[in-house]
């Protein structure tokens, strides 16, 4: 987990200081949001990156103030809504990514057929209990284990997606499940092979926004949310492995 905060000053002279938007986002969105903010001229952005768990703990303990939350685990927006910190009308899905199987070797073909073969000792995945991509990977394992019963014996778990990637790159596991946004445009994954699973084989890895009730800049935050769906934003999302 990591925690980064930074500001971006808008070029629009009509934007006032009071319109600063506090964005709390998970680290997986870092590359996208840092490019997004270069294009964004409708307000001043203050973006903090941390895990959904860390953001949640900081918000409920009043250690952090967020105007809008961006993450991929919908149970956290649900908690905020149930606690009265946000309304269901302020919650929505703005993008998604795909699930991949990655290796630093050339062992993987485009059809992910390697999962039907017994030529590897370990497959690593983020813990399904704490990671949306891990839950999706567990569904893939259930599906492919029908043809390869030994598949489940080879599964090892990591705390999160970043530790799974490190384990693959360092050779601890030959194969691993990762979200596509971590495989595309990543220095650590330039060498190797990967395949994409069909969206019909697992529950989508969606990314959500949630606007908080205590937001002091409702109009500015709404503009920021709307810009997530703009043509420029969609192009940046696609570049970084989102749909």
């Amino acid at each position: 987990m990591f925690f980064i905060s930074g500001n971006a000053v808008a070029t629009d002279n009509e934007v006032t200081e009071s319109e600063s938007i506090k964005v709390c986002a998970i680290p997986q969105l870092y590359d996208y949001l840092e490019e997004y903010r270069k294009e964004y001229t409708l307000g001043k952005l203050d973006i903090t990156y941390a895990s959904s768990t860390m953001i949640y703990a900081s918000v409920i303990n009043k250690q952090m103030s967020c105007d809008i939350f961006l993450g991929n685990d919908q149970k956290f927006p649900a908690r905020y809504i149930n606690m009265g910190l946000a309304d269901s009308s302020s919650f929505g899905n703005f993008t998604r990514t795909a699930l991949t199987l990655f290796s630093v070797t050339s062992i993987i073909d485009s059809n992910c057929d390697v999962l039907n073969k017994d030529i590897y000792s370990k497959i690593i995945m983020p813990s399904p209990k704490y990671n949306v991509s891990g839950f999706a990977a567990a569904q893939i394992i259930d599906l492919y284990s029908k043809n390869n019963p030994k598949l489940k014996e080879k599964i090892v778990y990591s705390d999160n997606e970043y530790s799974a990637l490190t384990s693959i790159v360092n050779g601890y596991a030959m194969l691993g499940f990762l979200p596509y946004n971590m495989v595309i445009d990543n220095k650590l994954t330039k060498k190797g092979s990967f395949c994409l699973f069909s969206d019909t084989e697992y529950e989508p890895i969606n990314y959500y926004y949630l606007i908080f009730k205590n937001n002091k800049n409702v109009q500015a935050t709404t503009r920021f949310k709307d810009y997530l769906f703009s043509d420029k934003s969609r192009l940046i999302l696609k570049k970084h492995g989102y749909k």
Side-chain angles (χ1 to χ4, degrees):
M1 299 181 183
F2 59 86
F3 192 102
I4 304 174
S5 180
N7 294 317
V9 180
T11 59
D12 188 340
N13 293 329
E14 294 182 4
V15 172
T16 64
E17 185 68 20
S18 64
E19 291 184 292
S20 178
I21 306 162
K22 293 183 179 180
V23 182
C24 297
I26 60 174
Q28 291 90 330
L29 289 166
Y30 180 86
D31 289 337
Y32 158 66
L33 285 176
E34 289 306 303
E35 186 165 349
Y36 172 102
R37 75 155 112 203
K38 292 177 183 178
E39 299 289 338
Y40 191 74
T41 60
L42 302 178
K44 182 178 178 182
L45 304 183
D46 182 354
I47 307 177
T48 296
Y49 298 96
S51 69
S52 294
T53 301
M54 184 179 292
I55 293 172
Y56 176 75
S58 299
V59 168
I60 64 172
N61 289 315
K62 298 182 179 180
Q63 297 171 334
M64 178 189 295
S65 175
C66 306
D67 291 327
I68 187 169
F69 167 75
L70 303 177
N72 64 359
D73 191 337
Q74 62 180 324
K75 71 172 176 280
F76 287 98
R79 288 177 183 176
Y80 293 127
I81 293 170
N82 290 336
M83 293 176 68
L85 298 177
D87 293 321
S88 58
S89 60
S90 68
F91 164 71
N93 168 23
F94 72 96
T95 192
R96 70 183 191 275
T97 192
L99 183 68
T100 72
L101 185 68
F102 172 73
S103 175
V104 292
T105 73
S106 59
I107 194 173
I108 300 175
D109 60 23
S110 60
N111 296 319
C112 302
D113 191 52
V114 66
L115 289 179
N116 295 316
K117 302 174 182 178
D118 192 22
I119 54 176
Y120 44 84
S121 60
K122 292 186 182 73
I123 306 175
I124 195 164
M125 70 165 70
S127 170
K129 186 176 180 180
Y130 303 110
N131 301 271
V132 176
S133 61
F135 183 75
Q139 293 177 301
I140 293 295
I141 291 298
D142 286 342
L143 180 64
Y144 279 77
S145 62
K146 295 176 182 178
N147 293 326
N148 182 5
K150 294 183 179 180
L151 190 57
K152 290 186 177 182
E153 300 173 7
K154 301 177 184 292
I155 300 298
V156 292
Y157 299 99
S158 64
D159 291 337
N160 53 59
E161 295 162 345
Y162 293 96
S163 58
L165 174 58
T166 300
S167 295
I168 301 167
V169 172
N170 290 342
Y172 173 72
M174 183 177 290
L175 307 172
F177 291 93
L178 294 170
Y180 184 51
N181 58 294
M182 288 188 65
V183 174
I184 194 74
D185 196 30
N186 188 327
K187 293 180 181 179
L188 294 176
T189 60
K190 283 187 176 180
K191 294 182 179 180
S193 57
F194 72 90
C195 61
L196 291 167
F197 296 100
S198 168
D199 289 348
T200 62
E201 294 178 319
Y202 59 90
E203 288 191 28
I205 304 174
N206 291 321
Y207 284 76
Y208 306 96
Y209 68 84
L210 178 80
I211 298 175
F212 287 91
K213 275 185 179 179
N214 64 352
N215 190 328
K216 296 180 181 179
N217 301 297
V218 176
Q219 290 185 342
T221 305
T222 300
R223 284 198 299 268
F224 171 84
K225 182 265 294 183
D226 291 342
Y227 198 81
L228 294 172
F229 299 91
S230 68
D231 290 342
K232 284 186 178 180
S233 174
R234 306 321 286 183
L235 287 173
I236 299 170
L237 283 166
K238 186 175 181 180
K239 174 182 176 181
H240 292 288
Y242 300 93
K243 297 182 179 181

